[in-house]
């Protein structure tokens, strides 16, 4: 509309200036300019006078040209404005910018870990009974869980969506790569989940196999699954502390000390990880008195036994050891590094396990973890880029997602591990977002 108004004003000024033109004005400008020639006094230039009707036709023609031009400009302005308005709202397929934990869509910044769980009937992403790499103990539905509402939840950030990748596209992006998970049984659960998600994109399931022919079990320290058609592996290394457990040597220690955890030494199998293309770490579930002091395991730094060191202090020392290893052993041009934060359990005060039917609206403080805060603090001061998968808060609502009594040993309730399919699938959707966000951008 603004373009059309400007054209009308121009025409009025032209008419006004030409209406007071002196009859004696015979400058060549009036004849060289189309506007001047159209509105000049009826005079000749090397010929006979033009009829009055011809001048009216020229005036009418010019008005039509100006109106069409103004309309065209207005249309282009509207199209451009619409493009700028619509494209940012397209989410993953639009123009995205990425920070460490957030997505910028248009003028809105979205923290992907700040959101809520919403019902989505397109879940689950796979059938655990059809995936040979799910441990029997995690297949809750197959173990007799009577309702499947826990399978129908999707994580929804407040101002955006977690991108849903096409599995075929992910398989192509992983061609020739190594994804390595390092950590405890929660890491193994996430490893199993990712394999099952990726297998849904294959017609020939037989092309996926464990490289040593092993069955999936918590007793094996290394498990590697190869996707033969795409020549990539998804591997798991069991390293529950990331640093090195050791035997008690040369000390006249109290009888309660049976072994030590060398906080300043990385796990001896660390050389197996350094050449990976994608590294995903976690540790947390074993940093409790029941797994340490009550078994006679205490902390060691150098040649010094630290009997009075608290678990949080020891955890921080171990993280600093891990960070130093990353900075000295990892080539950031080859390897992407991620650290998943502590995943909360839902045991009651008296160590009883009550798996709910739906997510809980009250996290009862489980959305915060001193371990998770330490991870973020250590990573923030590192020179090598590390992405933090901050799943603590989002997982704290999922009291419905645990194994409970639906495991391979129903006599032992479990409010620590997660059913598959389930919450770890959402961790992996976010993991894929972090792995491929540069390509998406």
């Amino acid at each position: 509309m603004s373009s059309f108004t400007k054209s009308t004003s121009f025409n009025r000024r032209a008419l006004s200036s030409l209406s007071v033109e002196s009859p004696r004005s015979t400058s060549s400008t009036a004849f060289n300019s189309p506007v001047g020639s159209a509105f000049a006094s009826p005079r000749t230039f090397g010929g006979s006078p033009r009829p009055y009707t011809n001048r009216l036709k020229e005036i009418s023609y010019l008005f039509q040209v100006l109106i069409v031009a103004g309309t065209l400009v207005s249309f282009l302005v509207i199209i451009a404005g619409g493009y700028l308005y619509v494209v940012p709202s397209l989410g993953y397929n639009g123009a995205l910018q990425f920070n460490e934990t957030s997505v910028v869509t248009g003028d809105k910044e979205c923290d992907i870990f700040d959101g809520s769980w919403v019902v989505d009937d397109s879940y689950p992403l796979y059938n655990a009974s059809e995936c040979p790499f799910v441990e029997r103990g995690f297949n809750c539905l197959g173990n007799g869980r009577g309702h499947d509402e826990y399978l129908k939840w999707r994580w929804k950030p407040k101002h955006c969506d977690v991108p849903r990748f096409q599995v075929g596209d992910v398989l192509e992006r992983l061609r020739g790569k190594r994804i390595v998970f390092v950590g405890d049984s929660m890491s193994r659960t996430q490893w199993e989940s990712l394999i099952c998600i990726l297998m849904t994109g294959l017609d020939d399931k037989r092309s996926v196999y464990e490289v040593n022919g092993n069955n999936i079990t918590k007793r094996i320290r290394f498990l590697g699954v190869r996707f033969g058609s795409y020549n990539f592996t998804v591997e798991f290394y069991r390293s529950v502390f990331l640093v090195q457990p050791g035997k008690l040597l040369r000390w006249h220690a109290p009888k309660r000390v049976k072994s030590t955890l060398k906080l300043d030494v990385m796990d001896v199998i660390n050389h197996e990880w350094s050449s990976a293309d994608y590294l995903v770490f976690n540790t947390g579930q074993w940093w409790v008195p029941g797994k340490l002091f009550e078994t006679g395991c205490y902390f060691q730094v150098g040649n010094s036994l630290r009997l009075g060191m608290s678990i949080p202090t020891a955890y921080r020392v171990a993280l600093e050891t891990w960070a130093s290893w990353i900075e000295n052993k990892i080539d950031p041009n080859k390897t992407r590094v991620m650290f998943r934060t502590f995943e909360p359990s839902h045991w009651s005060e008296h160590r009883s396990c009550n798996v709910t039917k739906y997510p809980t609206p009250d996290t009862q403080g489980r959305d915060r973890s001193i371990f998770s805060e330490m991870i973020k603090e250590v990573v923030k001061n590192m020179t090598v880029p590390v992405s933090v998968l901050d799943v603590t808060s989002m997982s704290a609502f999922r009291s419905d997602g645990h194994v409970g009594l639906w495991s391979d040993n129903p006599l032992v309730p479990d409010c620590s591990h997660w059913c598959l399919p389930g919450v770890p699938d959402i961790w992996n959707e976010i993991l894929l977002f972090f792995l491929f966000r540069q390509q998406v951008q």
Side-chain angles (χ1 to χ4, degrees):
M1 182 63 68
S2 58
S3 298
F4 183 81
T5 303
K6 287 181 180 178
S7 299
T8 305
S9 300
F10 170 78
N11 294 338
R12 287 173 180 168
R13 289 196 299 270
L15 283 169
S16 175
S17 62
L18 290 169
S19 64
V20 297
E21 183 183 5
S22 170
R24 294 187 296 272
S25 176
T26 57
S27 66
S28 61
T29 304
F31 294 94
N32 294 333
S33 169
V35 176
S37 62
F39 294 100
S41 299
R43 59 186 67 199
T44 63
F45 185 77
S48 59
R50 296 182 180 179
Y52 182 76
T53 54
N54 289 342
R55 291 200 302 273
L56 291 177
K57 289 181 179 179
E58 291 176 357
I59 293 172
S60 176
Y61 175 79
L62 280 176
F63 267 112
Q64 293 176 14
V65 169
L66 292 173
I67 289 172
V68 171
T71 302
L72 180 60
V73 171
S74 299
F75 177 79
L76 293 175
V77 169
I78 292 171
I79 292 297
Y83 179 85
L84 293 174
Y85 177 81
V86 172
V87 167
S89 69
L90 294 179
Y92 165 58
N93 292 318
L96 299 183
Q97 297 176 351
F98 298 94
N99 293 325
E100 192 57 33
T101 62
S102 64
V103 189
V104 178
T105 57
D107 59 349
K108 290 184 178 180
E109 183 171 336
C110 173
D111 182 351
I112 203 165
F113 298 111
D114 181 17
S116 59
W117 293 94
V118 297
V119 174
D120 189 330
D121 288 334
S122 68
Y123 286 79
L125 301 178
Y126 56 89
N127 184 337
S129 297
E130 297 176 356
C131 181
F133 299 101
V134 170
E135 289 178 62
R136 180 185 170 191
F138 298 153
N139 183 4
C140 299
L141 211 59
N143 291 328
R145 186 166 183 173
H147 56 84
D148 64 354
E149 286 86 354
Y150 72 98
L151 297 172
K152 303 294 184 179
W153 295 92
R154 171 174 62 87
W155 180 249
K156 175 69 175 71
K158 286 183 178 178
H159 302 297
C160 59
D161 287 293
V162 178
R164 179 73 70 87
F165 288 87
Q166 295 294 326
V167 177
D169 181 48
V170 174
L171 292 169
E172 282 295 341
R173 296 184 190 210
L174 293 177
R175 187 182 290 275
K177 305 291 186 182
R178 285 182 70 204
I179 304 179
V180 173
F181 289 85
V182 182
D184 53 29
S185 56
M186 302 298 172
S187 182
R188 190 178 71 252
T189 308
Q190 187 178 4
W191 171 79
E192 294 175 20
S193 162
L194 181 61
I195 293 169
C196 294
I197 291 173
L198 295 178
M199 285 187 69
T200 63
L202 296 175
D203 293 327
D204 183 10
K205 304 295 193 290
R206 294 173 299 178
S207 65
V208 183
Y209 56 92
E210 206 285 322
V211 294
N212 293 318
N214 292 318
N215 294 323
I216 308 305
T217 172
K218 61 185 178 182
R219 295 179 176 84
I220 298 178
R221 198 161 189 206
F222 166 74
L223 291 164
V225 169
R226 174 172 293 279
F227 285 70
S229 301
Y230 292 87
N231 190 34
F232 72 83
T233 56
V234 186
E235 305 169 27
F236 166 72
Y237 289 87
R238 187 175 183 269
S239 179
V240 298
F241 297 110
L242 301 184
V243 290
Q244 179 61 31
K247 295 181 178 180
L248 186 63
L249 299 173
R250 298 192 303 276
W251 277 310
H252 298 290
K255 290 185 178 180
R256 70 177 186 272
V257 181
K258 307 298 182 184
S259 63
T260 64
L261 188 61
K262 299 179 180 180
L263 301 176
D264 57 340
V265 179
M266 280 294 283
D267 194 319
V268 293
I269 60 174
N270 69 80
H271 63 279
E272 301 284 352
W273 319 331
S274 57
S275 63
D277 297 283
Y278 306 108
L279 267 173
V280 186
F281 292 93
N282 96 293
T283 183
Q285 292 290 335
W286 283 62
W287 293 84
V288 292
K291 299 286 188 181
L292 291 165
F293 306 146
E294 294 175 16
T295 66
C297 182
Y298 288 82
F299 304 124
Q300 176 184 345
V301 179
N303 292 321
S304 176
L305 183 63
R306 304 293 180 88
L307 292 177
M309 181 178 283
S310 69
I311 289 178
T313 300
Y315 188 88
R316 179 64 181 250
V317 175
L319 283 181
E320 296 288 358
T321 300
W322 166 83
S324 177
W325 180 85
I326 291 290
E327 292 177 335
N328 287 287
K329 299 294 185 180
I330 295 299
D331 178 4
N333 295 318
K334 170 180 170 51
T335 304
R336 287 284 309 279
V337 182
M338 281 139 285
F339 203 116
R340 181 171 52 75
T341 61
F342 183 74
E343 56 292 301
S345 59
H346 288 85
W347 297 94
S348 70
E349 294 181 0
H350 304 291
R351 197 63 181 175
S352 62
C353 177
N354 179 29
V355 177
T356 59
K357 187 174 183 179
Y358 302 105
T360 178
D362 183 6
T363 63
Q364 298 180 344
R366 293 185 176 91
D367 56 330
R368 296 181 299 276
S369 164
I370 188 172
F371 293 160
S372 298
E373 294 306 313
M374 286 183 186
I375 292 167
K376 288 184 277 190
E377 289 173 7
V378 169
V379 165
K380 183 172 60 177
N381 295 318
M382 293 176 66
T383 57
V384 173
V386 175
S387 298
V388 176
L389 305 180
D390 190 4
V391 304
T392 304
S393 179
M394 62 185 294
S395 304
F397 295 97
R398 295 305 305 273
S399 55
D400 61 322
H402 291 291
V403 169
L405 297 174
W406 301 285
S407 70
D408 53 349
N409 185 5
L411 297 178
V412 181
D414 187 349
C415 267
S416 295
H417 294 92
W418 304 91
C419 296
L420 290 180
V423 174
D425 304 329
I426 308 300
W427 300 347
N428 279 323
E429 287 193 301
I430 296 175
L431 171 66
L432 293 175
F433 162 75
F434 273 80
L435 292 185
F436 302 128
R437 59 184 174 172
Q438 289 180 341
Q439 289 100 314
V440 171
Q441 183 178 12

